[in-house]
Amino acid sequence: MNNLPQVKVGIVAVSRDCFPESLSVDRRKALVSAYTKKFGADSIYECPVCIVESEIHMVQALEDIKKAGCNALCVYLGNFGPEISETLLAKHFDGPSMFIAAAEETQNNLVGGRGDAYCGMLNASYNLKLRNIKAYIPEYPVGTAEECADMINEFLPIARAIIGLSDLKIISFGPRPLNFLACNAPIKQLYNLGVEIEENSELDLFVAFYKHEGH
């Protein structure tokens, strides 16, 4: 039996009204193109909605990636992004999320082509912490289209593990009877992953074994 989750990452670009939206859209297209050339298109989806300073755009993007069947999210800062809308997208998306940003391609177009995505990435990470939102951020999350494609590909096994664990139910046997989990602090980390656990007493197992003797 193969029950390995299939991951589909929705790539959502963000921008600000003080920067040209086209810059972020063009960088998103370049990222999708780079990823497709290196890894194929089966694991990604390019969201056509670019979030620009608006929670309405955030809702539209959220609905679009859900409709496309995405179970993982990549928020891509093509330039300086809207901290509120982009982090709310990760908050309301039911699945693992990552944040990455575009590097400046050239020093010759800083007037019309500058995006300050690096600065936006710093602000986004800070805002995620303020909201207690868990998101994956690569060790160095700013890169070219090809480098960001690699980051998304490296995110796939992480997302797959989180998705697989989110519906896991563990039935175990230990020294405590059922519903006596108060003294088992390490279980908290399982709860943080969305795992449910039921621990049964070893004595209950012992009794059940003899109760079903001969079955």
Side-chain angles (χ1 to χ4, degrees):
M1 179 181 68
N2 183 3
N3 61 352
L4 195 66
Q6 298 299 311
V7 179
K8 187 174 184 180
V9 182
I11 301 175
V12 180
V14 299
S15 184
R16 299 266 310 240
D17 55 6
C18 54
F19 292 102
E21 179 184 350
S22 59
L23 175 62
S24 193
V25 171
D26 290 342
R27 286 174 169 174
R28 182 194 70 208
K29 293 182 182 298
L31 168 59
V32 171
S33 176
Y35 187 96
T36 302
K37 288 178 181 177
K38 297 184 75 171
F39 308 108
D42 293 341
S43 299
I44 60 170
Y45 167 73
E46 181 182 3
C47 177
V49 180
C50 183
I51 300 176
V52 184
E53 298 270 359
S54 170
E55 292 178 39
I56 296 177
H57 290 160
M58 182 275 291
V59 173
Q60 291 172 344
L62 181 63
E63 293 176 347
D64 183 76
I65 58 178
K66 284 184 176 181
K67 185 178 179 180
C70 297
N71 55 2
L73 168 67
C74 172
V75 176
Y76 179 60
L77 284 82
N79 54 45
F80 202 108
E83 298 162 37
I84 294 175
S85 301
E86 67 193 12
T87 52
L88 282 178
L89 179 64
K91 177 180 179 179
H92 293 294
F93 180 75
D94 186 19
S97 304
M98 76 176 299
F99 279 68
I100 55 176
E104 302 293 354
E105 296 96 341
T106 174
Q107 295 295 312
N108 298 323
N109 63 345
L110 292 183
V111 175
R114 182 176 175 179
D116 277 350
Y118 178 81
C119 182
M121 186 68 213
L122 294 175
N123 286 21
S125 62
Y126 188 68
N127 201 278
L128 287 167
K129 184 63 176 179
L130 288 175
R131 295 180 183 275
N132 293 316
I133 300 171
K134 292 183 178 181
Y136 170 70
I137 299 177
E139 184 175 359
Y140 189 79
V142 181
T144 63
E146 290 74 17
E147 291 169 340
C148 286
D150 290 336
M151 295 177 201
I152 295 175
N153 189 60
E154 292 168 359
F155 174 59
L156 293 183
I158 298 171
R160 187 177 295 112
I162 294 173
I163 294 168
L165 288 171
S166 63
D167 294 323
L168 180 65
K169 173 67 182 286
I170 299 175
I171 300 177
S172 65
F173 293 94
R176 289 164 295 278
L178 180 63
N179 286 325
F180 273 76
L181 297 177
C183 297
N184 202 341
I187 284 180
K188 173 174 171 54
Q189 299 307 321
L190 294 174
Y191 289 154
N192 289 343
L193 290 170
V195 175
E196 187 55 56
I197 183 166
E198 173 187 313
E199 185 178 73
N200 296 281
S201 168
E202 294 168 335
L203 291 177
D204 292 337
L205 176 62
F206 182 76
V207 171
F209 175 77
Y210 282 102
K211 182 179 180 181
H212 295 281
E213 184 176 5
H215 287 189

